[in-house]
Amino acid sequence: MEKNLTPYVGMEFEIEEVAYMYYNMYTGYIGFSIRKSWANKSKVDGTTILSRKFCCFKEGFKKQVECEGKKIRKDLRVGCNAQMIIGRQENGKYYVTFFEEQHNHQVVTPRSRHKLPSQRKITIAHAAEAEIAKNSGIRQKLIFDFMSERVGGRENLGFTLKDISNHLQSKRMREMREGEAYTLIHYLEKKKSDNPSFFYLLQYDAEGQIANIFWADPKMVIDYALFGDVVCFDTTYRINNVNRPCAPIIGVNHHKETVVFGVALLYDETTASFEWLFTTFLEVMKGKKPLTIFTDQDAAMAKAIARVFPETYHRICSWHLFQNALKHLGHIFKGSNKFGAEFKSCMHDFEYEEDFIHSWNTLLEKHKLQDNKWCLDTFQERRKWAMVYGRHTFSAGIRSTQLCESFNSRMKYDVRYQELESNYEMSQLKLALKMNVPILRNARDIYTSKIFDLFQQEYEKSLGIVVKTCIESPPLYEYKVCVYELQREHKVTFNSKSKRIGCCCMSFEFVGYLCSHALKVLDIWNIKLVPSQYMLNRWTKHAREGCVVDYKGRIVIEDPRQVVSNRSKDLSRNAVTVASRAAEYEDASIFFVRKMVELSLEVEKFFTKANKNVDDGYFNSMAMNSSQSVDNNDAFTSVIFMCDLSVDKTSCPTYPNIQYGMITIPQTTGAS
């Protein structure tokens, strides 16, 4: 080992943790492990360390204990005196006051260095990756093998299979030991500590027991900010043996796929519980209220929505309404094959209120239901379920809460992965044009694949539409159009000056893209591209661009741990590529070793320069030691001293002068 990297009496460190880090880096290169021994603390404040001893992990001897009937453990300690002692000076810095370099035992080879306790560290990135893989059902051995393969072998990981096993097992055992409520709170707090944009709130009853729970992770907050114009809310799913309702708040993204805005576990389905939930939801979503909310026919829920979301259009799920019709009018369904179709027609088909009312009254008269209480009560709520009233408010084309039903059936699966697949296909594949015309080429470039497919269908329909009449009052024009050989007419108005267009079917207002009737009129006016005001951003490929700010004004990051994990993968892949190339020549290997030493120290500057007086908790958050039980002071991040395993240490040349933050290593040392 070259003397210019060996600690020496008089070497200066700004803080005690840096001294430990440097000594551990040095011992990793030599081939032994260290631990923190005694520490003398100030009698004034009881916390300031005046002197500290770092010793070889083989220091001392094993205590003699009664071993009969017990498993005899191998003896690790052999009385090694290798050590480094530091003392605090008047200027607050630490100096090496004593250093012993020699060992009375064999040190390990470079290929075994990763097994040394103080060199074994599971980084945050690796821990996050292992937990994600474990939650996906992947066995620990496969997780470890995959990580090892990526860095060119398990000796390059910096930890062992046992470390991964201990980390995952200890997490599981903690969850098993703790009570259900405490485990839940601990989990929610952990999620919040991982990402401050994670939100949760608990409501307690008069006896101090948890009654209602709501949470929204950063992804949910982002999704609601972008796609929270329409939400579906349903409590039909029961999550456990006490039948507590699980109440997801659901919507659709720019691919018309399910996204989750928040999840609640409710004690009951009273107005008070719903009101608490909706108020809490508004708090985390910065007061943004949806344009439309879909629910089932629940009186308590309706009352809470009216109080918390008075401006939101409350729609009753068409599926639930039809199921209630089957329940209350079963005898009518059995006696008439046409009643179901006629009832659905009243729900969906009409564009003018007078036509809907006429059809409803005809239905009641035909089946003698004029005095039926359920029919009378349902008609009183007609504005919540009849499409003739719903066409005026944006609903993303949704008519029921079946998004919630779908989510409930796939609760154990990751519904978010579907968007990843859709984004990939959208970026790599182009939908085929059924006609090579400008309006379709332009729409394909802007809309997501799903929305473009629906838009292209509308354009196809427009080719079969004929204009029956046109009333001109420039710049306003009123057209009556219909499908060829059909009688049903639609009224389309167009302003030639502003290029504004509207249709009585209200398709744009309801689903967010132009209908075939409007596209026909645009074609008459030789408008070959959809006017920009009729391209809703929420349906475009760029819907997710930009930042979202949470309720405390912070930019929301979906998963910081995933960001760290991804960086780690990229950096590891690049480092392995360079190391593999350098290993082909001895001179290149020696050069690589020297540069990695310098690089390791330079990287640590980012952690030590940020705060010279940083506490142990900060460093503990930078790296996690799974290999041994240590006190808080022993949880400092160690530098993994990287070197090429094929190079003999004695053949390495003298390293140049290296400056590391508050450490200066001179080229020639006066002491060893």
Side-chain angles (χ1 to χ4, degrees):
M1 178 66 185
E2 297 299 328
K3 295 297 183 183
N4 65 333
L5 286 181
T6 303
Y8 60 93
V9 174
M11 179 178 280
E12 178 183 297
F13 304 96
E14 192 74 13
I15 55 179
E16 181 239 348
E17 288 85 357
V18 173
Y20 172 82
M21 179 189 67
Y22 183 83
Y23 189 46
N24 192 49
M25 177 194 70
Y26 159 78
T27 62
Y29 184 83
I30 293 296
F32 69 99
S33 185
I34 63 169
R35 55 186 170 85
K36 292 183 177 181
S37 184
W38 52 258
N40 292 324
K41 296 183 179 181
S42 170
K43 295 181 180 180
V44 178
D45 57 21
T47 58
T48 301
I49 293 178
L50 301 180
S51 59
R52 162 79 84 175
K53 176 182 176 181
F54 308 120
C55 65
C56 175
F57 75 145
K58 288 180 172 288
E59 184 207 42
F61 296 94
K62 182 179 179 180
K63 293 182 179 179
Q64 296 297 322
V65 295
E66 181 61 45
C67 297
E68 184 177 353
K70 297 181 180 180
K71 181 179 179 180
I72 300 177
R73 297 180 179 273
K74 294 180 180 179
D75 199 354
L76 174 68
R77 300 190 180 187
V78 295
C80 181
N81 286 323
Q83 60 185 279
M84 184 177 86
I85 300 176
I86 58 172
R88 192 171 188 269
Q89 307 301 311
E90 292 182 359
N91 61 4
K93 297 181 181 181
Y94 290 86
Y95 292 82
V96 176
T97 59
F98 181 81
F99 175 69
E100 173 57 55
E101 183 178 4
Q102 300 302 318
H103 298 266
N104 67 348
H105 58 88
Q106 184 178 359
V107 296
V108 303
T109 63
R111 289 191 177 276
S112 300
R113 189 193 64 221
H114 67 287
K115 298 176 68 66
L116 294 170
S118 67
Q119 305 300 320
R120 287 155 55 183
K121 304 288 180 179
I122 298 181
T123 65
I124 293 176
H126 283 129
E129 185 178 357
E131 289 171 17
I132 291 171
K134 180 66 175 177
N135 292 337
S136 300
I138 302 175
R139 291 187 293 112
Q140 295 174 7
K141 179 66 164 55
L142 294 178
I143 297 172
F144 184 74
D145 288 345
F146 174 74
M147 290 180 172
S148 301
E149 184 69 23
R150 199 172 58 215
V151 296
R154 59 182 60 189
E155 65 271 17
N156 299 325
L157 263 181
F159 53 87
T160 66
L161 174 60
K162 184 177 180 181
D163 296 332
I164 280 288
S165 178
N166 288 343
H167 173 74
L168 296 175
Q169 183 69 9
S170 62
K171 184 174 183 289
R172 177 173 174 270
M173 291 301 294
R174 285 196 304 271
E175 293 170 352
M176 290 175 61
R177 285 195 301 266
E178 297 163 354
E180 180 180 317
Y182 180 78
T183 300
L184 175 62
I185 295 173
H186 178 76
Y187 171 80
L188 295 173
E189 275 296 318
K190 177 64 168 58
K191 299 293 285 185
K192 190 171 182 64
S193 68
D194 289 342
N195 193 327
S197 292
F198 183 92
F199 177 93
Y200 80 93
L201 191 65
L202 310 177
Q203 186 186 41
Y204 296 86
D205 60 19
E207 298 177 354
Q209 301 297 314
I210 297 176
N212 298 314
I213 308 166
F214 172 79
W215 70 90
D217 66 25
K219 178 74 162 61
M220 297 174 184
V221 174
I222 293 173
D223 286 344
Y224 184 77
L226 301 176
F227 310 114
D229 39 22
V230 181
V231 302
C232 299
F233 181 67
D234 181 55
T235 58
T236 58
Y237 187 76
R238 295 296 186 270
I239 194 168
N240 54 22
N241 56 2
V242 295
N243 264 346
R244 276 202 170 194
C246 175
I249 301 175
I250 304 284
V252 292
N253 61 12
H254 50 325
H255 299 290
K256 293 205 77 168
E257 296 166 347
T258 301
V259 287
V260 185
F261 301 141
V263 182
L265 291 177
L266 301 177
Y267 179 76
D268 54 29
E269 296 178 79
T270 61
T271 298
S273 289
F274 290 134
E275 196 168 338
W276 173 86
L277 171 59
F278 296 147
T279 301
T280 303
F281 182 73
L282 277 184
E283 179 184 348
V284 68
M285 300 306 178
K286 299 178 60 181
K288 176 183 176 179
K289 299 177 181 179
L291 298 175
T292 305
I293 183 170
F294 285 86
T295 72
D296 59 13
Q297 278 183 290
D298 185 281
M301 198 183 297
K303 190 179 294 185
I305 290 172
R307 291 176 181 174
V308 182
F309 301 127
E311 302 90 359
T312 299
Y313 181 33
H314 181 193
R315 294 284 305 279
I316 293 175
C317 164
S318 60
W319 184 85
H320 278 286
L321 182 67
F322 194 78
Q323 295 304 307
N324 285 336
L326 287 170
K327 178 181 177 181
H328 291 89
L329 306 174
H331 61 292
I332 304 296
F333 279 90
K334 290 180 181 179
S336 172
N337 294 330
K338 294 183 179 180
F339 181 77
E342 292 168 346
F343 188 83
K344 287 185 177 180
S345 177
C346 288
M347 292 171 61
H348 302 304
D349 289 348
F350 297 99
E351 298 170 0
Y352 299 101
E353 185 177 18
E354 56 269 24
D355 293 338
F356 159 72
I357 293 176
H358 174 73
S359 179
W360 178 261
N361 290 332
T362 301
L363 181 69
L364 298 187
E365 291 173 8
K366 179 179 178 181
H367 298 281
K368 298 180 174 54
L369 294 170
Q370 297 94 325
D371 299 324
N372 182 276
K373 185 179 186 306
W374 185 83
C375 290
L376 293 173
D377 292 343
T378 299
F379 184 73
Q380 291 299 314
E381 291 193 310
R382 62 190 180 278
R383 294 185 179 276
K384 293 184 178 181
W385 56 264
M387 183 59 67
V388 67
Y389 304 105
R391 295 182 186 278
H392 300 273
T393 307
F394 181 73
S395 297
I398 299 172
R399 297 184 180 182
S400 77
T401 60
Q402 285 191 308
L403 286 173
C404 295
E405 307 289 340
S406 174
F407 171 75
N408 292 338
S409 67
R410 297 187 299 158
M411 181 75 85
K412 294 183 179 179
Y413 300 94
D414 187 4
V415 296
R416 293 172 175 173
Y417 187 73
Q418 189 174 4
E419 182 176 333
L420 186 148
E421 290 184 322
S422 296
N423 286 337
Y424 174 80
E425 291 183 4
M426 182 176 67
S427 66
Q428 300 298 318
L429 305 173
K430 278 191 175 184
L431 286 179
L433 294 174
K434 295 182 179 179
M435 285 151 284
N436 190 13
V437 293
I439 196 169
L440 291 182
R441 292 199 301 268
N442 177 247
R444 184 176 64 175
D445 291 340
I446 297 175
Y447 284 137
T448 61
S449 300
K450 176 64 176 179
I451 302 304
F452 171 71
D453 184 50
L454 296 171
F455 178 82
Q456 186 164 230
Q457 292 177 32
E458 290 296 321
Y459 184 78
E460 279 189 288
K461 294 177 186 177
S462 74
L463 301 180
I465 290 178
V466 296
V467 177
K468 298 188 70 174
T469 63
C470 176
I471 300 175
E472 300 184 13
S473 180
L476 296 178
Y477 297 81
E478 184 180 293
Y479 295 87
K480 285 190 177 180
V481 302
C482 67
V483 178
Y484 181 69
E485 293 184 338
L486 295 181
Q487 297 299 314
R488 185 177 180 182
E489 294 181 347
H490 289 82
K491 183 172 70 176
V492 181
T493 58
F494 179 71
N495 187 313
S496 60
K497 185 175 182 180
S498 65
K499 302 297 187 293
R500 295 189 65 85
I501 194 167
C503 178
C504 65
C505 75
M506 308 290 286
S507 175
F508 177 76
E509 288 77 7
F510 178 67
V511 300
Y513 49 84
L514 291 177
C515 61
S516 58
H517 321 115
L519 292 175
K520 177 66 178 181
V521 173
L522 289 180
D523 190 60
I524 292 173
W525 282 87
N526 291 324
I527 297 176
K528 300 302 182 183
L529 301 178
V530 178
S532 59
Q533 63 265 39
Y534 297 107
M535 286 275 194
L536 288 191
N537 186 65
R538 67 113 57 230
W539 292 136
T540 69
K541 297 176 180 179
H542 308 292
R544 285 201 176 275
E545 291 183 356
C547 296
V548 171
V549 178
D550 67 15
Y551 69 106
K552 288 191 175 180
R554 298 167 297 212
I555 295 177
V556 181
I557 300 175
E558 285 187 22
D559 188 355
R561 293 198 315 162
Q562 188 62 48
V563 172
V564 173
S565 178
N566 290 339
R567 285 194 199 128
S568 176
K569 292 174 187 176
D570 292 338
L571 293 173
S572 297
R573 183 168 53 251
N574 293 335
V576 169
T577 300
V578 177
S580 299
R581 185 64 171 163
E584 296 180 12
Y585 294 96
E586 182 178 1
D587 289 345
S589 298
I590 295 171
F591 174 79
F592 183 78
V593 171
R594 183 171 65 249
K595 289 301 179 183
M596 288 307 295
V597 171
E598 298 174 11
L599 183 60
S600 297
L601 297 174
E602 287 295 322
V603 167
E604 287 304 315
K605 287 183 180 180
F606 292 98
F607 302 109
T608 56
K609 275 190 173 181
N611 188 349
K612 293 181 181 180
N613 299 316
V614 68
D615 62 17
D616 293 325
Y618 172 85
F619 289 96
N620 191 35
S621 71
M622 301 292 30
M624 298 155 42
N625 188 343
S626 318
S627 60
Q628 59 187 116
S629 298
V630 294
D631 58 22
N632 289 337
N633 289 331
D634 207 6
F636 182 79
T637 305
S638 69
V639 175
I640 304 300
F641 202 113
M642 301 183 68
C643 65
D644 185 81
L645 304 178
S646 64
V647 179
D648 183 0
K649 296 179 211 174
T650 59
S651 66
C652 294
T654 301
Y655 293 105
N657 182 39
I658 302 174
Q659 290 188 339
Y660 166 50
M662 289 68 70
I663 309 172
T664 301
I665 306 172
Q667 182 135 11
T668 51
T669 61
S672 60

